[in-house]
Structures are given as C-alpha cells and as structure tokens.
Amino acid sequence: MSLQRTLKYIQQGGFSKYWRDMQYIGDAKWGRMVGIDSNGNTYWENNEEQPGRTRWVDYKFHDYDSTQLDPIWHAWLSHTRCEPPSTDPIASHFERPWQSPAYENFTGTRGAYRPYNTTKPKRYAWEPKIAARQA
C-alpha cells in the first residue's frame, strides 16, 4: 500500500476508521456504503480498487464468521449479482417462506450438534472377576 493511498484513505475516513480497518481486515479501504443486512453488517463498494477487491463487508462484531452473511449479500460479494440487494427491487421485496433465518455456525461451541450412538458396542473392556480365597 502506497503512502499516497494511505493518506487519501485517512483523509476520507479519519484516523480511527483507518486504524480499525487495519486491525480487522488488514487493509485501509474507503468506498460507498451499499447497504446493511439483518445482522448489522455493512457492505461497501469502490470501483477504483483492483479487480476482485472492489466489494467487501465490514462485520458488526469482532468475532466474525462467514455464516453471519445473508445468502443474497454473499452472492453480491462474490460478483454473482450485479445489483446490491438494497437497490434491487426484486430482491428487496422477495420473501422466502421456505427458508429459515440464517444462523451462524456453532461448531466448536456448546451449541454444536453432537450425535450419540444407540447400538451396543461389539467389544467391551476387560472387567476382572474377583474370586473368593480358598483356605
């Protein structure tokens, strides 16, 4: 990152935003805020960036996970959709009654799914049998 680019982004967003972006995403980016999803994540776009780095998400919480993204916003981030869902009239009014709300991934936490086994084991651990002493 060049010094000129760094100074430009500090001037546009302020030093606190520059410092936060460097800590969270490792790059100082500034652009047009496109929208906010139901989880509070903000989505940004800057067409002056390098191709493939023009769209990004700023997660609401520091402990972020990719499962916190809505599927329609993920499609916009990966350049599958041209229009962001906030400006697309079809996507903003389209309801999915069959789709449950997006939940984050609970792997590695107490809320993770743990299957249990109901079959008897084929092998058992050895249990010693204690015989009475003979006098």
Side-chain angles (χ1 to χ4, degrees):
M1 179 162 56
S2 68
L3 181 63
Q4 181 182 6
R5 181 176 180 257
T6 303
L7 293 175
K8 176 184 171 189
Y9 289 136
I10 290 174
Q11 181 184 9
Q12 288 178 339
F15 186 75
S16 62
K17 179 166 177 17
Y18 166 76
W19 185 256
R20 184 181 182 281
D21 287 349
M22 290 302 289
Q23 297 298 318
Y24 283 104
I25 61 176
D27 190 12
K29 291 189 171 192
W30 184 258
R32 176 177 66 99
M33 188 175 85
V34 176
I36 301 174
D37 68 358
S38 60
N39 295 328
N41 303 324
T42 56
Y43 295 89
W44 299 81
E45 182 177 31
N46 185 356
N47 291 326
E48 297 173 4
E49 287 282 335
Q50 298 173 357
R53 299 180 63 187
T54 58
R55 298 174 180 175
W56 67 94
V57 61
D58 188 9
Y59 291 96
K60 183 177 181 179
F61 300 109
H62 177 66
D63 252 353
Y64 58 87
D65 188 9
S66 62
T67 58
Q68 296 170 346
L69 296 178
D70 289 340
I72 198 158
W73 279 105
H74 181 269
W76 179 78
L77 280 173
S78 59
H79 296 274
T80 305
R81 300 182 52 89
C82 293
E83 293 285 326
S86 59
T87 61
D88 190 6
I90 296 173
S92 62
H93 298 295
F94 185 66
E95 294 185 16
R96 300 170 198 83
W98 64 87
Q99 188 179 20
S100 63
Y103 296 107
E104 61 181 271
N105 189 357
F106 292 114
T107 303
T109 65
R110 294 181 68 133
Y113 173 73
R114 289 187 181 88
Y116 61 93
N117 194 356
T118 58
T119 60
K120 289 185 175 181
K122 293 181 180 179
R123 298 178 188 207
Y124 295 97
W126 178 71
E127 295 179 10
K129 295 180 182 177
I130 302 173
R133 290 187 165 207
Q134 297 176 2

